[in-house]
Amino acid sequence: MAITVTLPDETALELADGATGADAAAAIGPGLARAALAIEVDGEVRDLARELPDGARISILTPRDPRSLELVRHDAAHVLATAVLDLYPGVKISIGPPIENGFYYDFEFPNGTAVSDADLPAIEERMREHIRAGEPFVREEVPAAHARQRFEAENQPYKVELIDDLVRAGATETVSLYTNGPFTDLCRGPHAPTTGTVKAHKLQSVAGAYWRGDSTRTMLTRIYGTAFFSQQELERHLERLEQARARDHRRLGPQLGLFYFSELSPGAAFWLPAGTTLWNALRDLSREMCDARGYEEVKTPLIFDAQLWRESGHWDKYRENMFVTEVEERPMAVKPMNCPGHCQVFKHTRRSYRELPLRYAEPGLLHRNEASGVLHGLLRVRHFAQDDAHIFCTEDQVQDEVVGCLRFAFDVYEIFGFQWRLELSTRPDERIGDDVLWDRAEEKLRRALESQGLDHEVREGEGAFYGPKIDFHMTDSLGRSWQLGTVQLDYGMPERFDLHYTGPDNEEHRPVMIHRALFGSFERFIGILLEHLGGDLPVWLAPVQAVVLPIADRHNERAAEVVRELAGAGARVQLDDRSESIGRKIREAELRKIPYMLVLGDREAERGTVSLREHRAGDEGELAVAELAQRIARETHERSH
């Protein structure tokens, strides 16, 4: 007997009954057979050793396939567990998945053993032994009860719990086990043929992680690592990580005197004067661009009665992320978002179709009760402000308003030189509103994108609980992807709050609501921008645009006049009149990343000029103070990047 499978080019390949993915690769050619790592069968990636079904569509994965890197990192996670079990008898293992840019494995070490970064080289070396041995990954399907007995006998309670959960959920009667060398793991796979596929690896750090992310459960030790197909790729990756560490906004913020964090208020930045200047510049930009596009700014309370959040759906779907309090025995909550408040502003008076669209903007403070373990500088905070806006419009106005939001976003990102891409996120499993409304909302967003000829990726199930959304992503100077703004379409909230307007037929109609934030939170945007630029802010954003550096004390009086002249022209300028060498003053100004350094000595004092030195670019020669003032004013007005 024979089976037939179809290759990506639609060619039919005939194989013997019982043929595996490895057999298919060999039938296509010896080169492919040597390079093959796994096989995609009808959209599912599988081990090469598994039998192929008749009629399947197949594709062989080699190191050239982007998905193969995830595969080899999964292999490396198993090798890591193998090495740890070798070195620490009695260790309990939990899970070890591939993740973006690497992998991890979580362990409970015996007898209070503490593993630190200093132990990683020894674990790496033991991993190399298993990799050099080229141990096969062998898959077997066994009854769940058999696997449970095995792991219970090995004193591996985390594996036992995982199996029990699978059985309890009715997900399976059998489970798959993978064995490489002396190690057997509960795993769905797939894996490459042998451990030898891991050509280059590096263990990077040790951290704590609660079992299953539950702070009431055991704190495990998580070991992070990464793996590549070549040492050269690994070294390039490590170099990028080193650059990222140097650009870490948590390091740059205090260094540049922008902000700091304190355990007195976890997850909330303390903005210093320079940082507040930067923050205000972004807020002013947002306001200016909103004004030009017909937005009206409103201001709503920070704390609302719980009834508002019940009506909006947040009390049931989002309460664990809200700061809840009680005032005179009334349950209340600090707002995590502005939308319910803006609904109240819309609702407080009768509305006519002639008023629509109404565009409300509010750069107001928001608070979200994020778990301490996920707080990360400015990128994940509890206290922040968004360039938040909500549009209330008629059904016929939806597409134009969404397109307007998209164009607004493109104008914002162009100012910063960001290259963006778009994602359309559809209904999640946990949501409010019926499918009819979701169908309509998703179709409206699709039409808006298609009307502008915009390429986009569809992210099934990733929408907000109240509506689908379009998200904007950018790739920074280190190749990392960040989500920035979002445009969300919402039919549910106007219905929940019973919003309506009077139409031309003198009947009541339900408005459509669009949620829109383009910077996202100003805090997160600043964190991303600092890392993207390495702290080298453009002149218009720099808290200090120029610093005047007198060479000697006798030049201080003229230097102060220059400061007054520039400040009078609107520049943000400082004077460094310390009795230090000019070389030291320049070095410190470079560290502060001040765009313009103005050196002033005898010649400059006599001529009424300054010698201009630009950050990172070096000396530019003499120029008149008025000319420099015009230059700074022009760059600030144009917001040059």
Side-chain angles (χ1 to χ4, degrees):
M1 294 180 61
I3 63 170
T4 302
V5 295
T6 304
L7 303 179
D9 64 358
E10 302 300 327
T11 300
L13 178 65
E14 189 172 292
L15 298 166
D17 187 29
T20 65
D23 295 328
I28 296 170
L32 183 61
R34 288 191 296 271
L37 298 174
I39 184 169
E40 183 182 63
V41 180
D42 293 331
E44 177 190 3
V45 179
R46 298 182 177 183
D47 305 330
L48 288 172
R50 295 180 66 180
E51 290 187 12
L52 298 175
D54 188 24
R57 300 183 68 88
I58 68 168
S59 175
I60 307 295
L61 272 68
T62 70
R64 294 184 178 182
D65 190 304
R67 293 168 296 178
S68 64
L69 200 51
E70 180 178 329
L71 188 79
V72 76
R73 287 169 176 166
H74 193 184
D75 296 346
H78 280 234
V79 176
L80 167 59
T82 310
V84 169
L85 281 165
D86 284 350
L87 295 171
Y88 301 91
V91 68
K92 295 179 176 62
I93 57 175
S94 60
I95 57 172
I99 56 175
E100 185 179 7
N101 295 322
F103 61 89
Y104 70 79
Y105 213 111
D106 288 348
F107 305 95
E108 181 185 342
F109 285 91
N111 303 321
T113 301
V115 172
S116 69
D117 290 353
D119 299 301
L120 298 184
I123 300 174
E124 279 183 1
E125 183 54 40
R126 184 57 63 94
M127 289 177 68
R128 290 188 189 96
E129 294 177 15
H130 288 285
I131 291 168
R132 286 193 292 265
E135 298 161 348
F137 282 100
V138 180
R139 175 190 175 97
E140 57 179 327
E141 292 276 346
V142 302
H146 175 78
R148 189 188 192 284
Q149 290 172 358
R150 173 175 184 155
F151 286 116
E152 192 169 40
E154 294 175 357
N155 194 24
Q156 295 296 344
Y158 300 108
K159 298 299 180 184
V160 171
E161 181 177 328
L162 292 171
I163 294 170
D164 286 345
D165 286 350
L166 289 171
V167 172
R168 189 178 302 114
T172 183
E173 294 182 358
T174 64
V175 296
S176 56
L177 305 179
Y178 277 83
T179 299
N180 56 283
F183 175 56
T184 298
D185 204 358
L186 175 71
C187 181
R188 288 179 300 179
H191 283 279
T194 77
T195 58
T197 307
V198 184
K199 302 298 184 184
H201 70 281
K202 177 70 176 176
L203 299 183
Q204 297 167 290
S205 62
V206 176
Y210 291 111
W211 169 233
R212 310 192 96 167
D214 185 344
S215 60
T216 66
R217 306 293 299 274
T218 304
M219 173 68 80
L220 304 176
T221 299
R222 176 169 295 178
I223 298 179
Y224 285 99
T226 192
F228 289 87
F229 287 109
S230 72
Q231 188 65 29
Q232 186 179 28
E233 290 175 300
L234 173 61
E235 289 173 358
R236 282 199 297 264
H237 175 73
L238 296 177
E239 183 179 350
R240 286 193 297 270
L241 290 180
E242 190 58 39
Q243 292 174 355
R245 277 190 285 272
R247 290 168 174 254
D248 191 322
H249 74 281
R250 294 169 298 178
R251 173 178 172 272
L252 289 171
Q255 175 187 321
L256 300 179
L258 302 177
F259 58 83
Y260 70 92
F261 289 91
S262 168
E263 281 304 308
L264 294 174
S265 184
F270 286 72
W271 290 92
L272 299 169
T276 304
T277 298
L278 167 58
W279 198 97
N280 286 338
L282 291 177
R283 184 196 57 188
D284 292 346
L285 170 63
S286 175
R287 279 179 165 153
E288 176 186 315
M289 297 182 81
C290 280
D291 288 345
R293 291 162 176 80
Y295 287 81
E296 300 174 284
E297 189 166 316
V298 297
K299 187 175 176 61
T300 58
L302 277 175
I303 301 176
F304 288 93
D305 190 285
Q307 182 57 33
L308 177 86
W309 305 113
R310 290 190 181 97
E311 291 181 28
S312 70
H314 290 90
W315 199 254
D316 294 329
K317 304 289 185 181
Y318 201 76
R319 181 169 37 172
E320 65 181 19
N321 293 107
M322 299 168 67
F323 288 103
V324 177
T325 186
E326 192 174 276
V327 179
E328 296 178 344
E329 299 184 356
R330 294 172 63 189
M332 306 188 82
V334 183
K335 66 178 178 182
M337 50 200 65
N338 289 309
C339 31
H342 289 186
C343 286
Q344 303 311 302
V345 174
F346 180 92
K347 189 178 181 178
H348 91 286
T349 188
R350 290 181 60 86
R351 300 294 181 182
S352 164
Y353 73 95
R354 293 185 180 90
E355 297 177 74
L356 304 185
L358 273 174
R359 306 182 185 102
Y360 292 144
E362 181 176 9
L365 294 177
L366 302 174
H367 293 79
R368 295 181 185 172
N369 189 13
E370 302 282 6
S372 59
V374 301
L375 297 177
H376 184 84
L378 297 177
L379 304 182
R380 194 74 174 265
V381 290
R382 291 174 174 163
H383 162 100
F384 60 97
Q386 286 183 324
D387 66 318
D388 209 4
H390 296 92
I391 301 170
F392 298 89
C393 62
T394 69
E395 185 75 30
D396 293 339
Q397 294 168 336
V398 169
Q399 182 167 316
D400 286 343
E401 290 302 308
V402 171
V403 168
C405 291
L406 296 176
R407 291 175 175 169
F408 190 170
F410 302 154
D411 290 343
V412 169
Y413 303 147
E414 174 62 27
I415 291 172
F416 299 92
F418 290 166
Q419 298 297 312
W420 44 262
R421 61 181 177 83
L422 299 172
E423 289 183 356
L424 171 61
S425 298
T426 61
R427 70 197 74 183
D429 292 335
E430 291 290 326
R431 59 182 183 270
I432 58 176
D434 60 38
D435 285 345
V436 173
L437 290 177
W438 278 88
D439 289 342
R440 189 190 309 169
E442 290 171 1
E443 182 61 23
K444 288 285 187 181
L445 293 185
R446 286 192 186 93
R447 288 182 181 177
L449 290 166
E450 291 168 359
S451 73
Q452 303 301 298
L454 294 169
D455 292 332
H456 61 278
E457 179 183 348
V458 176
R459 304 280 289 183
E460 300 289 352
E462 296 294 322
F465 72 85
Y466 49 78
K469 59 179 181 169
I470 298 170
D471 289 332
F472 303 85
H473 296 255
M474 61 83 72
T475 300
D476 71 8
S477 56
L478 296 180
R480 301 171 301 182
S481 180
W482 301 95
Q483 184 196 328
L484 296 176
T486 187
V487 177
Q488 303 173 357
L489 191 54
D490 186 355
Y491 285 85
M493 199 166 290
E495 184 171 324
R496 296 176 76 91
F497 284 116
D498 192 26
L499 305 185
H500 51 79
Y501 65 91
T502 303
D505 57 0
N506 212 34
E507 297 291 331
E508 289 189 351
H509 298 268
R510 188 82 67 202
V512 183
M513 187 175 183
I514 298 171
H515 307 247
R516 188 237 69 192
L518 306 181
F519 289 88
S521 80
F522 291 117
E523 284 79 359
R524 186 171 183 275
F525 191 89
I526 289 171
I528 293 170
L529 189 65
L530 287 173
E531 297 199 4
H532 176 59
L533 299 176
D536 294 330
L537 296 169
V539 170
W540 72 274
L541 270 182
V544 178
Q545 296 171 317
V547 59
V548 181
L549 308 176
I551 291 176
D553 290 348
R554 64 179 179 275
H555 306 125
N556 287 349
E557 185 176 344
R558 172 55 189 158
E561 292 175 0
V562 171
V563 168
R564 288 193 291 271
E565 185 175 348
L566 290 173
R572 298 188 290 271
V573 59
Q574 288 184 351
L575 171 62
D576 184 353
D577 58 359
R578 297 173 301 158
S579 298
E580 299 283 358
S581 70
I582 191 63
R584 180 167 183 175
K585 290 181 180 181
I586 289 173
R587 281 194 301 275
E588 292 185 6
E590 287 282 1
L591 289 174
R592 293 175 62 195
K593 301 181 185 292
I594 297 174
Y596 294 131
M597 287 150 271
L598 315 179
V599 178
L600 194 151
D602 290 337
R603 182 181 60 188
E604 290 84 7
E606 182 179 340
R607 297 180 180 181
T609 63
V610 291
S611 288
L612 177 63
R613 180 182 178 89
E614 190 172 355
H615 175 57
R616 291 195 178 277
D619 296 327
E620 291 195 15
E622 277 186 76
L623 80 168
V625 176
E627 183 181 348
L628 177 62
Q630 291 173 357
R631 177 170 171 176
I632 293 174
R634 183 180 67 255
E635 290 181 316
T636 302
H637 175 73
E638 295 175 353
R639 296 190 170 99
S640 307
H641 64 261

